[in-house]
């Protein structure tokens, strides 16, 4: 009797926690959705802002965000993969590697604005890339480096030792084993890491604040050395400009909705990729 | 002159860290014959055969003393490439370990890493080795399916086929039937007897009947030492050592 009561109580507590979490999540989506949907239109998605950002659209910000993410991933992916492969497959196990691993994990905990300052010092000033798409993309790339390294390491470590041995026993070299057996088996995990880090890159504001972001541009960026607009920063810009609060707030909600949908779509892609790989080979 | 010895181990000591797993092992593996290695769990059987194709190179903090010769060549001499040794000495593991690829690719992979490029040749060899491993009839309709969908016994025969495809000179089997049912086991034993014609074989087994059925010579290991080695018939009918007798008659304490 008493045990049953405790169980019911426990269950109720767990269930209401879940319900509350879902409620918060859905109200965010609903809130942003309803307000954002009012301004969402073809014009909004395809045109540049006009009349002090009270009309027109956010197309340059969408394009800018896309380019920033592209540069970030192109830069960080090869580097992160190489690090992860070296750490998991080649380096002698021991305290040095453990130390590096802890270091990388801690890098993931550094506040993003610190990366912004770092990017300003290194890319903007020292390497003289200026406030540009390139500086911002590279800064974002460094930001997600630990995320991809960790995901890739986890994925590599999850590949069973027995199939590495099988490959080597056939007379494959270690590199052949890594490239043809280990990496393909680790691919779903690595892909998920990539997609999640794209989600992260797309949503970050602080790292591009001093390195890439433009308050307001009429057109699209012309080269990697141009300043860019980006969705998260554009929201910030709209809300702090304050010349036409009413219209600009509306635009900001529209912009948020676009960003939210983008991030959701990317997460959905991650889930999809993972499921598809699982279905093919249950590693 | 014909040398009947394919692999020769001389005074082999092996350590994992400072724990000694093999003590002064000297034995010959004869060409074209099946050598069974028996002994209780933990006596160093796997450790020993994993030395023969240098698989233990992958284990950190190990020490080897003594020599192992493959056709007279010291396989641990610095001039020798372990990859080359593994090409010549194939291995089938205790647990089936197919790659998470299709049945076809599982076998083609070994060929590709060994330099085969011609798709026709590869295809031909895949089919040939599946037939040799007595798996062809069961999988010929679904070569493109994942190897992980096969049963345990089929997976193990696939691993054997994969090993045969690259045409090694020696086959090492580490308890190949440990995770298999009696029917699959019988199939694999039949296969070993068939393969004996073309390969030198060493097989680790816990199953006395299996050793008696498939092997020509038997080595009995105990606590890292080679207690006795000889013709299988002799070992099973008239062992010289009391400990061998105790083990094969199942009176082992
Ligand atoms: N990778 C390893 N690291 C440390 N010790 C090991 C390792 N592999 C084996 N050993 C030890 O070496 C000894 C021999 O092990 P081995 O695996 O060779 O035994 P085995 O005869 O194959 O046993 P089984 O019949 O159970 O497979 C055991 O004491 C084992 O604990
Ligand atoms: Mg063993």
């Amino acid at each position: 009797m008493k045990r049953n009561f405790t169980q019911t109580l426990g269950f109720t507590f767990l269930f209401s926690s879940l319900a509350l979490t879902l409620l918060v999540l859905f109200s965010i989506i609903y809130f942003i959705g309803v307000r954002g949907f009012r301004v969402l239109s073809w014009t909004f998605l395809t045109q540049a802002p006009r009349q002090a950002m009270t009309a027109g659209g956010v197309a340059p910000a969408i394009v800018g965000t896309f380019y920033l993410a592209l540069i970030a991933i192109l830069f960080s992916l090869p580097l992160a993969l190489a690090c992860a492969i070296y750490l998991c497959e080649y380096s002698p196990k021991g305290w040095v590697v453990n130390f590096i691993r802890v270091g990388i994990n801690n890098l993931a905990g550094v506040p993003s604005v610190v990366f912004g300052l770092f990017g300003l010092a290194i890319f903007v000033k020292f390497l003289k890339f200026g406030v540009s798409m390139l500086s911002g993309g590279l800064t974002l790339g460094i930001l997600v480096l630990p995320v991809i390294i960790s995901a890739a390491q986890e994925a590599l470590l999850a590949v069973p030792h027995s199939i590495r041995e099988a490959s080597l026993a056939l007379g494959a070299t270690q590199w052949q084993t890594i490239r043809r057996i280990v990496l393909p088996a680790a691919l779903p995990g690595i892909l998920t890491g990539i997609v999640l880090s794209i989600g992260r890159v797309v949503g970050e504001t602080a790292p591009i604040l001093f390195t890439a972001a433009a308050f307001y541009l009429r057109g699209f960026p012309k080269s990697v050395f141009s300043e860019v607009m980006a969705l998260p920063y554009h929201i910030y810009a709209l809300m702090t400009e304050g010349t036409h609060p009413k219209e600009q707030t509306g635009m900001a909600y529209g912009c948020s909705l676009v960003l939210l949908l983008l991030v959701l779509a990317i997460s959905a892609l991650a889930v999809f990729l993972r499921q598809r790989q699982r279905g093919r080979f249950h590693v | 002159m014909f040398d009947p010895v394919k692999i020769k181990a001389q005074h082999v000591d092996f350590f994992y860290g400072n724990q000694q797993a093999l003590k002064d092992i000297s034995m010959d593996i004869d060409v074209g014959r099946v050598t069974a290695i028996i002994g209780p769990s933990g006596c160093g059987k796997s450790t020993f055969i994993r030395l023969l194709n240098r698989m233990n190179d992958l284990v950190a903090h190990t020490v080897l003393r003594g020599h192992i010769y493959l056709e007279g060549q010291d396989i641990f001499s610095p001039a020798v490439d372990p990859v080359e040794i593994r090409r010549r000495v194939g291995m089938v593991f205790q647990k089936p370990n197919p790659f998470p690829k299709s049945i076809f690719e599982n076998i083609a992979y070994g060929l590709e890493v060994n330099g085969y490029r011609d798709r026709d040749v590869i295809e031909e060899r895949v089919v040939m080795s599946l037939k040799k491993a007595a798996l062809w009839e069961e999988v010929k309709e679904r070569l493109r399916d994942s190897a992980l969908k096969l049963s345990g016994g089929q997976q193990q025969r696939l691993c054997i086929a994969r090993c045969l495809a690259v045409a090694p000179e020696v086959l090492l089997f580490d308890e190949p039937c440990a995770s298999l049912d009696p029917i699959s086991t019988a199939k694999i034993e039949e296969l070993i007897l068939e393969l004996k014609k073309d390969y030198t074989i060493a097989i680790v087994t816990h199953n006395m009947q299996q050793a008696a059925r498939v092997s020509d010579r038997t080595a009995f290991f105990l606590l890292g030492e080679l207690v006795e080695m000889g013709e299988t018939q002799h070992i099973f009918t008239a062992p010289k050592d009391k400990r061998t007798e105790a083990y094969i008659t199942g009176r082992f304490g």
Side-chain angles (χ1 to χ4, degrees):
Chain A
M1 183 62 211
K2 186 151 172 282
R3 264 185 30 195
N4 254 339
F5 176 73
T6 321
Q7 168 158 327
T8 313
L9 195 71
F11 182 76
T12 313
F13 173 73
L14 293 176
F15 182 78
S16 31
S17 308
L18 176 69
L20 191 68
T21 311
L22 284 179
L23 185 72
V24 171
L25 180 67
F26 281 113
S27 37
I28 293 174
I29 294 174
Y30 178 77
F31 187 73
I32 304 282
V34 167
R35 299 192 178 202
F37 198 72
R38 277 185 218 138
V39 294
L40 211 57
S41 66
W42 187 241
T43 317
F44 189 75
L45 291 176
T46 55
Q47 291 193 1
R50 278 179 286 114
Q51 298 159 15
M53 300 189 284
T54 58
V58 294
I62 297 177
V63 171
T65 287
F66 174 79
Y67 281 141
L68 284 171
L70 191 68
I71 293 174
I73 298 301
L74 284 182
F75 167 67
S76 60
L77 181 60
L79 207 58
L81 264 188
C83 286
I85 290 174
Y86 181 78
L87 285 175
C88 288
E89 309 286 330
Y90 282 108
S91 62
K93 309 276 174 283
W95 68 270
V96 179
V97 170
N98 283 338
F99 181 78
I100 295 174
R101 222 167 255 167
V102 170
I104 289 170
N105 286 340
N106 276 314
L107 203 59
V110 174
S112 56
V113 69
V114 176
F115 282 100
L117 278 177
F118 173 81
L120 176 67
I122 300 296
F123 301 124
V124 178
K125 297 273 195 274
F126 182 72
L127 294 174
K128 300 201 170 57
F129 294 157
V131 174
S132 66
M133 209 154 81
L134 186 61
S135 297
L138 295 176
T139 308
L140 288 168
I142 290 182
L143 176 82
V144 292
L145 209 47
V147 181
I148 307 183
I149 293 178
S150 297
Q153 268 191 316
E154 222 171 276
L156 290 172
L157 289 175
V159 176
H161 194 64
S162 64
I163 65 170
R164 288 169 223 242
E165 287 198 331
S167 170
L168 293 167
L170 287 168
T173 61
Q174 195 175 4
W175 175 240
Q176 284 170 328
T177 302
I178 291 170
R179 197 176 66 80
R180 305 252 341 242
I181 302 295
V182 180
L183 276 182
L187 196 63
I190 297 175
L191 274 181
T192 313
I194 296 171
V195 174
L196 288 178
S197 58
I198 294 176
R200 176 93 194 270
V201 164
V202 165
E204 278 290 345
T205 318
I208 54 173
L209 208 54
F210 332 114
T211 56
F215 206 67
Y216 177 29
L217 293 173
R218 263 167 226 287
F220 298 114
K222 293 190 179 50
S223 82
V224 290
F225 294 108
S226 322
E227 290 183 39
V228 280
M229 291 177 74
L231 284 169
Y233 183 72
H234 191 56
I235 297 170
Y236 170 79
L238 283 162
M239 295 307 287
T240 50
E241 165 86 332
T243 47
H244 307 76
K246 194 160 165 299
E247 292 86 350
Q248 284 164 345
T249 306
M251 296 298 271
Y253 277 114
C255 205
S256 303
L257 181 60
V258 172
L259 187 57
L260 193 69
L261 290 177
L262 204 61
V263 174
L264 282 180
I266 291 169
S267 304
L269 181 67
V271 172
F272 172 75
L273 286 174
R274 176 148 269 199
Q275 285 310 113
R276 211 185 57 156
Q277 289 286 339
R278 270 224 192 105
R280 218 148 51 99
F281 294 120
H282 33 102
V283 187
Chain B
M1 207 188 78
F2 177 72
D3 183 2
V5 178
K6 186 75 181 181
I7 296 179
K8 188 178 204 60
Q10 272 186 338
H11 304 296
V12 172
D13 291 314
F14 191 80
F15 299 82
Y16 291 107
N18 40 27
Q19 185 211 348
Q20 187 162 12
L22 294 176
K23 292 174 198 151
D24 195 28
I25 306 282
S26 296
M27 72 184 250
D28 295 346
I29 292 176
D30 291 349
V31 76
R33 304 186 79 190
V34 178
T35 303
I37 298 173
I38 60 171
S41 195
C43 67
K45 307 178 297 292
S46 297
T47 303
F48 181 71
I49 70 162
R50 285 169 59 90
L51 285 175
L52 305 183
N53 68 341
R54 293 193 58 172
M55 284 313 279
N56 277 342
D57 287 18
L58 309 177
V59 185
H61 312 300
T62 57
V63 180
L64 171 83
R65 286 201 298 250
H67 300 277
I68 294 175
Y69 300 95
L70 175 63
E71 288 185 342
Q73 181 188 35
D74 185 346
I75 64 170
F76 285 96
S77 101
V80 169
D81 181 3
V83 171
E84 193 53 43
I85 296 299
R86 295 184 195 127
R87 276 176 193 170
R88 296 175 59 190
V89 183
M91 182 165 220
V92 175
F93 298 81
Q94 175 170 343
K95 258 181 64 192
N97 52 359
F99 302 122
K101 295 174 177 287
S102 75
I103 294 170
F104 182 89
E105 287 171 277
N106 256 274
I107 301 176
Y109 172 74
L111 295 165
E112 284 158 14
V113 297
N114 281 287
Y116 289 80
R117 287 284 166 272
D118 188 334
R119 292 315 296 180
D120 293 339
V121 176
I122 290 177
E123 215 153 293
E124 194 181 302
R125 292 195 71 107
V126 169
V127 175
M128 188 198 71
S129 43
L130 280 171
K131 283 182 177 160
K132 262 200 206 164
L135 188 59
W136 174 247
E137 287 304 322
E138 288 155 70
V139 301
K140 63 183 176 191
E141 307 293 335
R142 48 177 180 143
L143 293 178
R144 301 285 159 191
D145 281 7
S146 167
L148 302 179
K149 287 190 192 137
L150 297 173
S151 75
Q154 289 172 328
Q155 288 189 2
Q156 193 63 308
R157 276 178 284 148
L158 179 65
C159 293
I160 295 176
R162 176 172 78 181
C163 182
L164 297 179
V166 298
E169 301 158 32
V170 182
L171 294 175
L172 306 173
F173 290 90
D174 191 354
E175 295 180 50
C177 306
S179 53
L180 305 184
D181 66 281
I183 296 173
S184 310
T185 301
K187 277 194 179 151
I188 291 192
E189 284 182 15
E190 232 171 85
L191 183 60
I192 290 171
L193 290 173
E194 187 63 33
L195 293 171
K196 192 168 98 171
K197 295 173 192 148
D198 305 314
Y199 302 90
T200 300
I201 296 174
I203 176 172
V204 171
T205 177
H206 276 288
N207 181 331
M208 293 304 115
Q209 285 82 32
Q210 183 169 68
R213 280 192 299 261
V214 303
S215 74
D216 302 301
R217 278 158 53 84
T218 297
F220 173 56
F221 277 52
L222 186 62
L223 299 170
E225 289 179 74
L226 175 61
V227 173
E228 187 171 353
M229 176 163 191
E231 295 297 310
T232 298
Q233 226 181 336
H234 293 168
I235 295 280
F236 279 90
T237 53
K240 292 196 189 70
D241 196 291
K242 279 265 174 293
R243 292 168 293 175
T244 315
E245 188 182 356
Y247 184 70
I248 59 175
T249 52
R251 282 186 286 109
F252 208 79

